Amino acid sequence: MSSPAPTATPGQKAPGALRRFLDGDVWHSFTRSPLAMIAAFVALVCLVCALFATWIAPHDPFDLAALELMDSRLPPAWIDGGSTKYLLGTDDQGRDLLSAIMYGARISLLVGVASVILSMLIGVGLGLLAGFVGGKVDAFIMRICDVMLSFPSILIALLIDGIGRAVFQNAHDTLAFAVLILAISLTGWVQYARTVRGSTMVERHKEYVQAARVIGVKPLAIMWRHVLPNVTGPVMVLATLQVASAILTEATLSFLGVGVPPTSPSLGTLIRIGNDFLFSGEWWITIWPSVMLVLIALSVNLLGDWLRDALNPRLR
């Protein structure tokens, strides 16, 4: 058990937010979990490589003028025929795989995080409304959730993405990204809605909510100012786990050829391209993007599992 957070005595300043966090149970649990620290380190390295790919990557894989077709399908540097210029080898277009993976991870993370944020906004809002209002509103929202859960999420994402591409046939890259993010978001909001609804139904009968009603606080203000802060714990855990799921969904859609635009390939697109050369001996074209995808998804999932245990008061 961690020591209790220090309290301010008369004449002393209250500890800052950072100090309270470092003295809290969550940080104590993190420092006592080697697996969580390793997962956090791997996730941080992947995030830094993705966000700062423009400065870290040794080559620009999207600069057509710099591509050399004579260097296509070169093996990694430690294999005969490889070049130290391309540490992980090159693909069929002569692009440096290490650089392409960094740029591709940035696109995958962008789509994954943006879709999770949108899913969270939709799900939390509908879950709060269903749990706090109840009655027919609750029944209607939950029946929609039941319908959404009756279909595999990847099929719903394919349907929404297909409709979006049919409606916006000549869409530019930005609109194509928006359609993809919307398709993934509309398959992930149900978990947030059901989780928040259950927590809200518990919170709405507690004394502080009844006191707020007695003094005349409006229902909307009670939901957002009082109930919402008390149901965010499960939401944060679910959001962490959903990031990995959203990235894998995006990779699946891109692998099937309906994901991000070909001009901005993600990890899923790189894996699909490399799959064509897997059985011809150029295994590195698909293996390295796959390894990066697995590292991101696994590290985020492990962090989500740790966060779920750290925020569970029964395990403290």
Side-chain angles (χ1 to χ4, degrees):
M1 293 291 293
S2 61
S3 58
T7 56
T9 57
Q12 286 184 335
K13 267 188 178 179
L18 178 60
R19 185 62 186 174
R20 291 196 301 270
F21 173 74
L22 294 177
D23 290 331
D25 292 329
V26 174
W27 181 253
H28 176 79
S29 173
F30 178 75
T31 56
R32 296 300 185 276
S33 175
L35 189 61
M37 290 191 291
I38 294 174
F41 175 76
V42 172
L44 181 62
V45 170
C46 294
L47 182 63
V48 169
C49 290
L51 293 179
F52 301 99
T54 307
W55 299 275
I56 298 177
H59 305 277
D60 185 356
F62 304 126
D63 185 5
L64 299 179
L67 296 181
E68 300 181 16
L69 292 179
M70 296 298 294
D71 292 337
S72 63
R73 291 190 276 181
L74 289 178
W78 60 87
I79 297 178
D80 292 340
S83 171
T84 55
K85 182 179 179 182
Y86 308 109
L87 184 61
L88 299 182
T90 60
D91 62 4
D92 61 315
Q93 300 180 33
R95 294 182 297 192
D96 176 45
L97 271 179
L98 178 60
S99 303
I101 288 171
M102 290 183 182
Y103 279 85
R106 178 167 61 181
I107 296 173
S108 296
L109 286 170
L110 172 64
V111 173
V113 172
S115 61
V116 166
I117 292 174
L118 184 56
S119 294
M120 187 166 57
L121 292 176
I122 297 173
V124 170
L126 291 178
L128 270 175
L129 184 64
F132 194 83
V133 176
K136 294 182 179 180
V137 174
D138 179 28
F140 177 73
I141 295 175
M142 288 302 103
R143 296 300 76 75
I144 295 177
C145 292
D146 293 339
V147 172
M148 296 291 291
L149 289 174
S150 64
F151 296 97
S153 59
I154 189 65
L155 292 182
I156 298 176
L158 280 170
L159 175 63
I160 298 173
D161 188 76
I163 294 174
R165 289 174 180 270
V167 174
F168 306 103
Q169 295 182 0
N170 299 319
H172 50 80
D173 288 358
T174 303
L175 187 56
F177 273 111
V179 171
L180 178 62
I181 291 171
L182 182 63
I184 299 175
S185 300
L186 293 181
T187 64
W189 67 269
V190 177
Q191 289 81 0
Y192 296 98
R194 292 174 71 93
T195 301
V196 172
R197 170 187 175 265
S199 301
T200 302
M201 292 180 71
V202 174
E203 295 293 326
R204 72 176 183 178
H205 297 296
K206 291 187 175 180
E207 290 79 3
Y208 72 93
V209 174
Q210 302 300 329
R213 283 174 170 168
V214 168
I215 63 176
V217 180
K218 295 181 179 179
L220 187 61
I222 296 176
M223 282 193 295
W224 292 103
R225 294 180 186 176
H226 302 284
V227 178
L228 180 60
N230 290 291
V231 300
T232 53
V235 171
M236 297 307 298
V237 175
L238 185 58
T240 305
L241 296 173
Q242 283 287 341
V243 168
S245 177
I247 292 174
L248 291 175
T249 301
E250 182 277 323
T252 303
L253 292 175
S254 297
F255 184 84
L256 296 174
V258 294
V260 298
T263 55
S264 303
S266 65
L267 293 177
T269 307
L270 295 174
I271 295 172
R272 177 177 59 83
I273 294 172
N275 190 58
D276 298 334
F277 303 94
L278 182 61
F279 296 104
S280 62
E282 289 86 6
W283 52 266
W284 55 87
I285 301 179
T286 190
I287 290 298
W288 298 130
S290 302
V291 169
M292 184 67 167
L293 181 63
V294 169
L295 286 176
I296 294 175
L298 182 60
S299 60
V300 173
N301 269 328
L302 289 175
L303 280 176
D305 289 339
W306 159 78
L307 187 61
R308 179 188 57 200
D309 295 339
L311 295 179
N312 189 347
R314 297 179 180 177
L315 300 178
R316 291 179 184 174

